[in-house]
């Protein structure tokens, strides 16, 4: 998956943490929800601006040790 379509790093947004484009939802937030047992469906239900691909992009970003993103 090309997570760069869904994730950005903006220095003045969430202290430069990687976030889902168009939101203030950090990759860390999504990973925390998943690790706490939330399903993709529950996350999307709580945050309607998210979709399945955005959640998968967070997982792909976390798995990539050589992140391709740079601060804008």
């Amino acid at each position: 998956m090309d997570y760069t379509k869904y994730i950005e790093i903006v220095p003045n947004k969430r202290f430069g943490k990687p976030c889902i484009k168009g939101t203030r939802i950090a990759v860390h937030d999504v990973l925390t929800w998943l690790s706490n047992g939330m399903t993709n469906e529950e996350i999307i239900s709580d945050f309607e601006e998210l979709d399945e691909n955005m959640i998968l992009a967070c997982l792909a970003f976390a798995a990539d040790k050589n992140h391709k993103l740079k601060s804008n």
Side-chain angles (χ1 to χ4, degrees):
M1 152 158 299
D2 180 10
Y3 59 76
T4 62
K5 294 179 182 178
Y6 302 98
I7 298 174
E8 65 184 354
I9 296 175
V10 179
N12 61 354
K13 184 194 286 187
R14 297 286 307 262
F15 305 101
K17 292 180 181 177
C19 292
I20 298 172
K21 288 183 179 181
T23 76
R24 294 185 55 78
I25 299 172
V27 169
H28 181 266
D29 298 332
V30 174
L31 298 175
T32 299
W33 299 328
L34 290 168
S35 70
N36 285 327
M38 287 183 77
T39 65
N40 292 2
E41 293 77 18
E42 290 170 329
I43 294 170
I44 293 166
S45 176
D46 286 350
F47 300 92
E48 295 178 359
E49 62 268 44
L50 300 182
D51 63 32
E52 188 87 17
N53 285 330
M54 293 171 175
I55 294 170
L56 294 175
C58 291
L59 291 168
F61 179 85
D64 184 0
K65 293 180 182 178
N66 301 307
H67 301 294
K68 304 172 198 168
L69 296 177
K70 295 182 181 177
S71 296
N72 293 336

